[in-house]
Amino acid sequence: MGAQLRVYKRRIRSVTATKKITKAMEMIAASRIVKAQRQVAASTPYATELTRAVTAVATGSTTKHPLTTEADTPARAAILLITSDRGLAGGYSSNAIKAAERLTERLRGEGKEVVTYVIGRKGVAYYGFRERKIEESWTGFTDSPTYADAKGAAAPLIESVSKETAEGGVDELHIVFTEFVSMMTQNPVDDRMLPLSLGAAKDEDGKGEILPLFDFEPSAEDVLDALLPRYVESRIYNALLQSAASEHAARRRAMKSATDNAGELIKSLSRLANAARQAEITQEISEIVGGASALADATAGSDK
């Protein structure tokens, strides 16, 4: 009985230590979410307005440009997948990977060759374990990305879009990331960055917006050449910030669940330990009473 009680106490100490760690990670993630939300709120208007500006320039010109021109028969498509560098964030990375897999299957179903770029160690490990080729990868900054990180990831993508497919270029550029909706909701999404969809622009009320006419100096092509890297970089940066906020929210939720489960497990083990201790005490009392009774019987027998 004593051995069983020691086992329960050892497990309680182990689970208590784990609970302290998960609680600390929960608090750290909660503190980082606020900063991540502010960065998302600050970068989204810039990315939105830049997209509107590019749309206006492309709509107001007849220049064919990789930013806006659809290939007659698109043969290659690039996918940029954003995952996390660290685990313990629930299904955050796996959900993004599943979204990328669905997109890959759809593009291959359309007869396109898919080239994969990955941000985050979880995504790199996923493709590496399955021995699937990754064109290029980046790690080490997913929980706190900077514009320089987005610029570094955008450079090879812009280069691929600018090349002909025969030279290793791509006709389309897609991005898969996790959109931050709220503290409880984060949705993996896939979005086509290039070629830019030139649908009717919308105003803040969702109604059709009449775009102004522009005169281009020196030319519309030069303006689009200048806007192309800024557009791709801003979209990737906003996606990185959205993903970082989603990662912190998912990790906070996962760690809170782990902390709560550890608390319930400690309660259960404490009950079992108390039951074992009571059984041990009861057995000791029974042994003492039995011994005293046997001694009394032996003494009574010797007196006779």
Side-chain angles (χ1 to χ4, degrees), residues 31-298:
S31 66
R32 291 178 175 176
I33 290 174
V34 177
K35 179 181 177 182
Q37 283 180 293
R38 290 174 180 171
Q39 289 179 318
V40 170
S43 69
T44 299
Y46 175 79
T48 301
E49 289 302 319
L50 184 57
T51 301
R52 291 179 67 252
V54 172
T55 302
V57 173
T59 303
S61 69
T62 58
T63 303
K64 289 188 176 181
H65 192 274
L67 187 65
T68 58
T69 304
E70 296 271 1
D72 295 332
T73 55
R76 301 185 83 220
I79 297 177
L80 175 62
L81 169 62
I82 300 178
T83 62
S84 66
D85 286 322
R86 299 184 295 126
L88 301 177
Y92 165 76
S93 292
S94 61
N95 290 337
I97 291 172
K98 289 177 183 177
E101 291 288 86
R102 290 192 295 269
L103 176 60
T104 299
E105 291 178 4
R106 177 166 62 83
L107 293 174
R108 286 175 177 167
E110 297 172 358
K112 301 170 186 175
E113 178 186 354
V114 177
V115 183
T116 305
Y117 297 80
V118 180
I119 294 176
R121 291 189 179 93
K122 290 298 178 181
V124 173
Y126 176 86
Y127 284 92
F129 179 76
R130 288 159 180 77
E131 298 182 352
R132 294 166 60 179
K133 182 181 178 182
I134 298 176
E135 193 70 19
E136 197 163 344
S137 63
W138 302 266
T139 60
F141 55 80
T142 59
D143 59 344
S144 183
T146 63
Y147 193 84
D149 298 324
K151 191 173 183 179
L157 297 172
I158 296 171
E159 183 180 357
S160 296
V161 172
S162 302
K163 290 180 180 179
E164 297 292 335
T165 53
E167 301 173 355
V170 296
D171 300 310
E172 296 178 1
L173 175 57
H174 300 259
I175 185 169
V176 179
F177 65 99
T178 306
E179 180 185 21
F180 180 83
V181 180
S182 67
M183 294 290 288
M184 297 301 297
T185 305
Q186 301 87 42
N187 297 325
V189 297
D190 64 84
D191 191 15
R192 192 181 78 170
M193 288 196 293
L194 295 175
L196 184 66
S197 178
L198 299 180
K202 304 292 183 180
D203 58 17
E204 294 180 355
D205 297 327
K207 299 179 181 179
E209 179 184 5
I210 299 177
L211 296 173
L213 297 177
F214 291 94
D215 289 328
F216 304 108
E217 183 65 35
S219 67
E221 184 175 2
D222 291 334
V223 173
L224 290 173
D225 284 338
L227 288 177
L228 173 60
R230 302 291 179 270
Y231 167 75
V232 175
E233 290 165 7
S234 68
R235 290 291 300 276
I236 293 176
Y237 182 52
N238 183 256
L240 284 172
L241 294 177
Q242 295 261 8
S243 297
S246 299
E247 178 184 348
H248 294 316
R251 181 168 291 112
R252 176 185 176 274
R253 190 168 61 251
M255 291 301 98
K256 185 179 187 307
S257 177
T259 302
D260 294 341
N261 291 338
E264 291 298 322
L265 183 56
I266 290 172
K267 289 181 182 179
S268 177
L269 291 172
S270 297
R271 293 191 190 102
L272 292 174
N274 290 336
R277 182 171 176 273
Q278 290 170 0
E280 184 178 352
I281 293 171
T282 302
Q283 182 177 353
E284 290 176 355
I285 292 173
S286 299
E287 290 174 354
I288 293 171
V289 172
S293 178
L295 182 59
D297 292 341

